[in-house]
Amino acid sequence: MSGGIPEPKLTAVDAMIDKLTGAIFVFQIVVVMVLGVAGNVWKDTEARKQWYVLYPEEGPWYELLVIPLRFELLCSIMIPISIKVSLDLVKSLYAKFIDWDNEMIDQETSTPAHATNTAISEDLGQVEYILTDKTGTLTENKMIFRRCCINGIFYGNENGNALKDEELINAVASCSSDVIRFLTVMAICNTVIPIRSKSGSILYKAQSQDEDALVHAAAQLHMVFVNKNSNTLEIKFNASTIQYEALEILEFTSDRKRMSVVVKDCQNGRIILLSKGADEAILPHACAGQQTRTFIEAVDQYAQLGLRTLCLAWRELKEEEYQEWSLMFKEASSTLVDREWRLAEVCQRLEHDFEVLGVTAIEDRLQDGVPETIETLRKAGINFWMLTGDKQNTAIQIALSCNFISPEPKGQLLLIDGKTEDEVRRSLERVLLTMRITTSEPKDVAFAIDGWSLEIALKHYRKDFTELAILSRTAICCRVTPSQKAQLVEILKSCDYRTLAIGDGGNDVRMIQQADIGVGISGREGLQAARAADYSIGKFRFLKRLILVHGRYSYNRTAFLSQYSFYKSLVVCFIQIFFSFVSGVSGTSLFNSVSLMAYNVFYTSVPVLVSVLDKDLNEDTVMQHPQILFYCQAGRLLNPSTFAGWFGRSLFHAIVVFVISIHAYAYEKSEMEEVSMVALSGCIWLQAFVLTLETNSFTILQHLAVWGNLAAFYIINWIFSAIPSSGMYTIMFRLCRQPSYWMTMLLIVAAGMGPILALKYFRYTYTPSKINTLQQAERLGGPILSIGSIEPQPRTIENDVSPLSITQPKNRNPIFEPLLSDSPNSTRRSFGSGAPFDFFQSQSRLSTSNYSRNCKDN
């Protein structure tokens, strides 16, 4: 019900491809218009003078459109239509790689990772914010009843287990009325269904792990919930059986933060309201005169220990009061307009003047690997927000235990609280001021806010809260509703951050659907989150591999594939444009239609698709050095600058192929079909070497795809050359017998790849990136590289990344001597100021003048 309709998701890579496609389309229109005008001018001034052209003196009215339309057809391949098909194919393979990853299988439950959405894998490599639920996501969701406070008496404080507390056991044995009522609420104020097995033991089916823990704890204290038939609840206490008639169930809602049951004691006919819920939903509604100070202290004490707390209460109802209220409840339940609001209002009429019975404390342990996962992803520059429905102190303790926030003096936690607009405004201003001042300090500053204050901040001070969201790397939002979780995701998305939301329950579905990437954990609260998410995993720790390995590889491969697809289409298109200058700007095609069709379908598609196997670094290296994810987050492999490089490469290669082909064959009075085949062969040879140069890790399949594809080009054309009606009869046979043809191919490859190899060698040797350095270490067996911890800094002005620190071995490789220098200057010289990406300091994608005025410059 809180899920909503999921919106279609567009990745940052797809958005960039759309922009580049638009730019190419504009360029194509300009080229068509310029060449169309030039062609018409040349036709009217020069072509009519040439007797062999046979242009008529007067043509039809549409004659001026003929040449521009010819160029439009020639330039139509400038935008590769096959790019979408290719991307869809490789993205489906990315999803399969996730499904087939044995290292992401939860051995405890045999649950594999699964990619439901096959279209957004590359966005995993560009995640900047992770918004996570707490219970069942960071924790195991295995609830264990640890402590309780009944009528001001604390149980379980000494040994940490109230079920073994002698004082509580004696109170149960002596049938203390306070304890009996407390256990009764624990046993039947829930939606649990008891099921008796064949062996006679009782199993409980519960929607909530909290309810399951409370019912089991009550059973161990001899208050056993044994049967539930229609409206009859049956419990056994010691040797006696007690029956209650369930009259109404007031279900839990995220707004009320409590659930209640109206029951009737079958022995004496009393009608009783049993309630349990959060402390702020129970204690303020206590009856007049009851002292709640002890219960408040108990809640704070348990929360400081990281335990989940619930307050239990009851109230005896008069028959007339219940009958009057029941009519209103049934009317509200059957209404079709504003049903939820009217039900909440009717429930509020009954849930007051409670007699608070006590407080329960339940332990929920952290999952294995959570602290290490958070620490690693923080090194990758990913910020974390915890969105939970738990009490603030409980959430803070869990955050401290899992490296979510840092304790003093390394970290600082700022609280935003208030019950009125003015209080929230002052608190928000104070926290904002502190954030601005500490921007330049090496300190992990986080803020915590509760649901009520968040509601006021989002409604009245949304702009200030958005600034706070940008300044803070870490946030803890407590007592938040599913809709508030979705609103927080939307705020970060509005700041142009890539967000990932992860949760395990139905209350996380809306947040998961709202985020750029939704990850669901197949946990103990069912599969609602996993089914609504783009990806499902068994445990939180698999998120590290999902982002660093699968996300990064997917982004790198997609960035290369998309730009290479444009490159191979632009090369042929530019050759056609150059040919127009030696063919009277008439729009005549150098290549025949069969060659153009086969070029994209057969000659160049297979090697590109095999690029999905390419890995620039080993998986172990990627996991060991998470900071290299910054290249993906900053979009350094696919942007207008990198695309301009591929555009320039296609123009250069087109010039090389056209000039060499024309000089080698056209001046020897060869047939035009031979010149066309020489130019096409040059394109295929160049692209084989371009793929070889851009591939980082070769497998047998990749070698077969690149060089086998080159061999297939000749085989296909030999077959066509043997068919008299193909228009290519004997052409390839004649060319292959000519030594000049093979010399031309070698000359094209040397002239086309020589400058590119030289440029790559210069950049790799004198201005290497961090990835180049790690690649060199892998290939040459250099020193062991380790990346130091990153001091968290606000992202408003800059992203500060710690430099690579290198463990120096006894026998050092001389290649790495500049990198091993202890001097900061020598380190910076070794990487160079012109490196593709600077780990020491990188500009954030979002900075405004307001923040620049208020924040100290890093």
Side-chain angles (χ1 to χ4, degrees):
M1 291 177 65
S2 63
I5 300 175
E7 298 179 358
K9 298 181 178 181
L10 180 69
T11 67
V13 170
D14 286 337
M16 179 58 66
I17 291 174
D18 291 344
K19 293 177 182 178
L20 297 176
T21 302
I24 292 295
F25 178 74
V26 172
F27 174 74
Q28 174 184 329
I29 296 299
V30 171
V31 169
V32 168
M33 293 176 63
V34 171
L35 293 180
V37 171
N40 282 316
V41 170
W42 189 89
K43 180 182 70 173
D44 293 334
T45 57
E46 299 294 334
R48 297 187 191 278
K49 300 177 183 179
Q50 309 298 329
W51 62 268
Y52 54 85
V53 179
L54 299 178
Y55 272 124
E57 291 296 331
E58 293 184 3
W61 63 270
Y62 54 81
E63 184 179 11
L64 292 176
L65 300 177
V66 173
I67 292 179
L69 289 176
R70 286 179 184 172
F71 279 110
E72 175 61 31
L73 290 175
L74 291 182
C75 296
S76 61
I77 64 170
M78 194 176 288
I79 299 176
I81 304 300
S82 61
I83 187 173
K84 289 296 183 183
V85 178
S86 300
L87 288 177
D88 286 343
L89 285 174
V90 298
K91 287 181 178 182
S92 63
L93 287 176
Y94 299 157
K96 287 300 179 183
F97 291 158
I98 295 174
D99 294 345
W100 296 335
D101 193 340
N102 292 329
E103 295 188 31
M104 294 178 64
I105 297 178
D106 182 15
Q107 300 298 331
E108 183 181 348
T109 60
S110 300
T111 303
H114 177 63
T116 305
N117 191 337
T118 61
I120 61 173
S121 295
E122 62 271 21
D123 250 5
L124 286 167
Q126 296 191 282
V127 170
E128 296 166 290
Y129 273 84
I130 292 179
L131 299 96
T132 175
D133 180 41
K134 184 184 75 67
T135 304
T137 304
L138 301 177
T139 62
E140 294 180 346
N141 207 10
K142 294 180 179 178
M143 306 299 181
I144 303 174
F145 185 85
R146 287 301 185 189
R147 307 186 185 199
C148 63
C149 173
I150 304 175
N151 197 24
I153 302 176
F154 290 82
Y155 299 101
N157 280 7
E158 294 183 1
N159 56 10
N161 189 350
L163 300 179
K164 295 182 180 180
D165 192 311
E166 292 293 335
E167 188 176 357
L168 179 58
I169 294 174
N170 292 334
V172 173
S174 61
C175 297
S176 169
S177 59
D178 295 329
V179 175
I180 298 303
R181 289 189 297 173
F182 184 85
L183 295 179
T184 301
V185 177
M186 286 176 57
I188 63 175
C189 183
N190 50 57
T191 57
V192 174
I193 300 176
I195 299 175
R196 190 175 294 275
S197 63
K198 295 181 180 180
S199 62
S201 61
I202 298 176
L203 303 177
Y204 296 110
K205 297 295 183 181
Q207 294 180 351
S208 166
Q209 296 298 315
D210 293 275
E211 291 185 344
D212 185 73
L214 292 177
V215 173
H216 275 95
Q220 292 186 51
L221 294 172
H222 308 292
M223 186 68 72
V224 185
F225 186 20
V226 295
N227 194 16
K228 184 176 185 178
N229 289 328
S230 62
N231 292 332
T232 303
L233 310 176
E234 184 177 326
I235 58 177
K236 280 190 175 180
F237 179 67
N238 293 332
S240 61
T241 300
I242 307 172
Q243 288 187 342
Y244 291 93
E245 179 185 355
L247 301 178
E248 302 289 353
I249 297 179
L250 286 61
E251 295 182 354
F252 174 87
T253 65
S254 56
D255 294 325
R256 288 171 44 245
K257 298 180 182 177
R258 59 178 175 267
M259 73 93 56
S260 301
V261 178
V262 182
V263 298
K264 183 176 183 179
D265 193 331
C266 295
Q267 293 179 345
N268 52 34
R270 289 192 306 167
I271 299 176
I272 308 170
L273 173 69
L274 310 179
S275 295
K276 74 172 189 297
D279 55 298
E280 66 264 28
I282 297 292
L283 298 182
H285 300 283
C287 59
Q290 183 177 15
Q291 295 295 326
T292 59
R293 182 185 300 273
T294 305
F295 299 121
I296 295 174
E297 293 175 355
V299 169
D300 291 339
Q301 177 183 327
Y302 296 150
Q304 290 293 338
L305 298 173
L307 302 176
R308 297 165 58 86
T309 59
L310 283 173
C311 292
L312 309 186
W314 87 345
R315 180 166 79 93
E316 187 173 345
L317 305 177
K318 295 180 181 180
E319 181 72 26
E320 298 80 8
E321 180 185 7
Y322 167 71
Q323 293 298 338
E324 181 183 354
W325 175 86
S326 180
L327 292 174
M328 292 188 293
F329 184 74
K330 291 177 181 178
E331 181 182 353
S333 300
S334 59
T335 187
L336 299 179
V337 181
D338 295 331
R339 180 173 176 270
E340 294 182 6
W341 178 82
R342 293 192 62 182
L343 277 175
E345 184 183 25
V346 172
C347 291
Q348 190 70 31
R349 292 175 178 269
L350 196 67
E351 294 173 324
H352 60 85
D353 293 334
F354 286 128
E355 181 182 350
V356 182
L357 301 176
V359 180
T360 63
I362 298 174
E363 179 186 39
D364 187 13
R365 296 178 179 175
L366 281 178
Q367 293 181 19
D368 293 336
V370 168
E372 295 80 5
T373 300
I374 292 176
E375 182 180 3
T376 300
L377 294 178
R378 279 199 183 283
K379 290 180 180 179
I382 297 177
N383 303 323
F384 278 85
W385 281 31
M386 180 192 292
L387 314 181
T388 178
D390 275 351
K391 189 174 176 60
Q392 190 176 86
N393 288 339
T394 303
I396 291 173
Q397 292 303 315
I398 294 296
L400 286 169
S401 63
C402 67
N403 291 337
F404 205 88
I405 57 177
S406 303
E408 291 284 355
K410 184 179 179 181
Q412 182 179 4
L413 182 64
L414 307 174
L415 301 181
I416 301 175
D417 52 10
K419 299 300 182 183
T420 64
E421 291 183 25
D422 189 55
E423 291 177 356
V424 172
R425 178 183 58 79
R426 290 199 302 267
S427 182
L428 187 59
E429 288 177 350
R430 184 184 69 252
V431 172
L432 263 176
L433 180 61
T434 306
M435 285 284 188
R436 292 163 181 164
I437 294 174
T438 57
T439 299
S440 60
E441 297 180 7
K443 203 169 190 179
D444 185 6
V445 182
F447 74 90
I449 186 172
D450 59 24
W452 181 260
S453 301
L454 180 62
E455 185 73 24
I456 297 175
L458 293 179
K459 185 176 181 180
H460 301 284
Y461 309 107
R462 192 180 187 90
K463 183 178 179 180
D464 292 335
F465 186 81
T466 302
E467 180 184 352
L468 178 63
I470 296 171
L471 289 172
S472 176
R473 288 172 51 91
T474 307
I476 301 174
C477 303
C478 313
R479 299 299 196 198
V480 292
T481 63
S483 61
Q484 287 177 328
K485 292 182 179 182
Q487 289 181 62
L488 292 172
V489 173
E490 183 60 34
I491 284 177
L492 291 175
K493 287 177 63 178
S494 68
C495 300
D496 200 26
Y497 287 113
R498 310 306 293 182
T499 58
L500 182 148
I502 179 170
D504 71 315
N507 60 337
D508 302 316
V509 169
R510 193 167 178 181
M511 170 182 71
I512 288 173
Q513 292 177 338
Q514 186 67 41
D516 294 305
I517 303 170
V519 179
I521 292 183
S522 303
R524 298 175 178 271
E525 289 193 14
L527 298 176
Q528 299 98 322
R531 288 171 177 167
D534 303 305
Y535 301 92
S536 62
I537 55 179
K539 289 289 188 294
F540 183 84
R541 66 177 181 271
F542 298 136
L543 189 63
K544 175 171 62 174
R545 183 172 177 83
L546 183 67
I547 292 175
L548 296 181
V549 176
H550 293 286
R552 184 177 174 276
Y553 284 159
S554 297
Y555 172 79
N556 289 354
R557 294 161 178 168
T558 303
F560 168 74
L561 173 62
S562 56
Q563 293 176 113
Y564 182 82
S565 297
F566 280 104
Y567 156 78
K568 64 186 180 67
S569 296
L570 286 170
V571 168
V572 173
C573 194
F574 281 135
I575 292 176
Q576 298 272 53
I577 293 173
F578 295 148
F579 179 69
S580 69
F581 295 125
V582 297
S583 60
V585 201
S586 59
T588 304
S589 176
L590 174 63
F591 306 105
N592 60 52
S593 58
V594 176
S595 297
L596 287 177
M597 179 193 70
Y599 177 77
N600 274 324
V601 177
F602 299 109
Y603 301 154
T604 59
S605 60
V606 175
V608 178
L609 295 179
V610 182
S611 65
V612 298
L613 302 177
D614 188 37
K615 296 180 179 180
D616 60 339
L617 293 169
N618 293 330
E619 293 180 4
D620 294 338
T621 304
V622 173
M623 297 288 279
Q624 185 181 357
H625 310 300
Q627 280 137 317
I628 58 177
L629 189 69
F630 281 104
Y631 283 91
C632 303
Q633 292 171 330
R636 294 303 176 103
L637 301 184
L638 176 60
N639 54 57
S641 176
T642 59
F643 184 78
W646 282 96
F647 186 90
R649 183 185 296 192
S650 65
L651 179 61
F652 171 67
H653 283 172
I655 294 173
V656 169
V657 171
F658 179 76
V659 171
I660 294 178
S661 300
I662 292 294
H663 279 74
Y665 278 82
Y667 293 154
E668 295 181 3
K669 299 183 179 179
S670 301
E671 295 181 8
M672 205 64 230
E673 288 80 2
E674 289 186 2
V675 179
S676 171
M677 186 54 64
V678 170
L680 185 63
S681 301
C683 291
I684 302 301
W685 275 83
L686 269 180
Q687 289 171 41
F689 279 89
V690 168
L691 276 173
T692 304
L693 182 64
E694 297 297 333
T695 300
N696 296 286
S697 60
F698 273 103
T699 62
I700 296 177
L701 188 60
Q702 287 167 299
H703 278 295
L704 288 175
V706 175
W707 307 115
N709 186 79
L710 185 60
F713 166 74
Y714 285 98
I715 294 173
I716 292 173
N717 282 280
W718 283 336
I719 294 173
F720 276 101
S721 296
I723 302 174
S725 60
S726 65
M728 300 169 56
Y729 189 55
T730 71
I731 289 178
M732 186 56 76
F733 294 130
R734 282 181 284 159
L735 287 176
C736 291
R737 287 196 297 265
Q738 299 173 10
S740 60
Y741 170 78
W742 301 107
M743 293 296 294
T744 301
M745 293 301 104
L746 293 177
L747 184 59
I748 288 175
V749 171
M753 298 304 298
I756 295 176
L757 280 171
L759 180 62
K760 277 190 171 291
Y761 175 80
F762 177 82
R763 292 182 60 184
Y764 190 84
T765 304
Y766 299 104
T767 61
S769 66
K770 294 297 190 298
I771 293 180
N772 298 148
T773 305
L774 293 175
Q775 287 174 334
Q776 198 171 11
E778 282 186 354
R779 293 168 183 170
L780 301 181
I784 301 174
L785 303 180
S786 63
I787 297 179
S789 61
I790 300 176
E791 293 296 335
Q793 292 289 344
R795 297 163 51 91
T796 307
I797 304 300
E798 297 169 335
N799 288 334
D800 284 355
V801 185
S802 64
L804 283 165
S805 61
I806 300 168
T807 305
Q808 182 174 329
K810 294 181 179 178
N811 299 321
R812 300 193 298 190
N813 192 322
I815 293 178
F816 294 91
E817 286 295 327
L819 185 63
L820 295 172
S821 173
D822 295 329
S823 170
N825 295 328
S826 62
T827 303
R828 185 170 291 276
R829 284 198 302 272
S830 68
F831 293 129
S833 59
F837 188 74
D838 192 352
F839 266 100
F840 298 100
Q841 206 170 44
S842 61
Q843 291 293 330
S844 172
R845 290 188 294 137
L846 184 80
S847 62
T848 65
S849 58
N850 291 335
Y851 304 154
S852 300
R853 288 195 301 267
N854 294 324
C855 299
K856 293 183 180 179
D857 193 342
N858 283 349

